[in-house]
Amino acid sequence: MKKTSLFLVALMVAVSVVFASSSLKTEKELSVPSAERVSFKIKGTGSKNIAVSIGIGSQPGSGACCSGVSPFTTASFVGNVGDVVYDGKTRRVITKISSDMDGTTLDLAQYY
């Protein structure tokens, strides 16, 4: 009887160790790497005199919407690489955010 009890206890401990180590591995595999964030500025349309409502997200209509950029102003934005900058009113994609946009200024006069 003692041998059977010891065997069952040893088996339970071994099974617990196996499950504990596999669950730790699963948590590490499931962790999502943080997205690369990019800071950039958007300059208004200037003499074209068009106020633009800017949204940033994975696709038009998603994410952070909307921040207005007046014709003669420049506003700072932050977005994830791979997201798009879009016109919040028309849902038109202006550009896709890339890592080389970091620290640059996007001129809306080129898009309108």
Side-chain angles (χ1 to χ4, degrees), residues 49-100:
N49 207 26
I50 302 170
V52 181
S53 181
I54 297 292
I56 298 177
S58 59
Q59 61 185 9
S62 69
C65 183
C66 292
S67 298
V69 178
S70 299
F72 295 99
T73 62
T74 300
S76 296
F77 291 89
V78 177
N80 294 327
V81 170
D83 283 355
V84 294
V85 176
Y86 63 92
D87 184 319
K89 293 177 186 169
T90 64
R91 305 277 194 236
R92 187 183 108 196
V93 173
I94 296 170
T95 189
K96 188 171 184 176
I97 299 174
S98 60
S99 58
D100 63 337

Side-chain angles (χ1 to χ4, degrees), residues 15-80:
V15 169
S16 297
V17 168
V18 168
F19 279 119
S21 65
S22 67
S23 68
L24 289 175
K25 184 178 179 183
T26 303
E27 288 177 15
K28 288 180 183 176
E29 290 172 353
L30 292 178
S31 66
V32 177
S34 61
E36 183 182 354
R37 309 266 302 157
V38 176
S39 297
F40 56 95
K41 293 180 180 181
I42 298 179
K43 182 180 174 184
T45 59
S47 62
K48 293 181 180 180
N49 207 26
I50 302 170
V52 181
S53 181
I54 297 292
I56 298 177
S58 59
Q59 61 185 9
S62 69
C65 183
C66 292
S67 298
V69 178
S70 299
F72 295 99
T73 62
T74 300
S76 296
F77 291 89
V78 177
N80 294 327

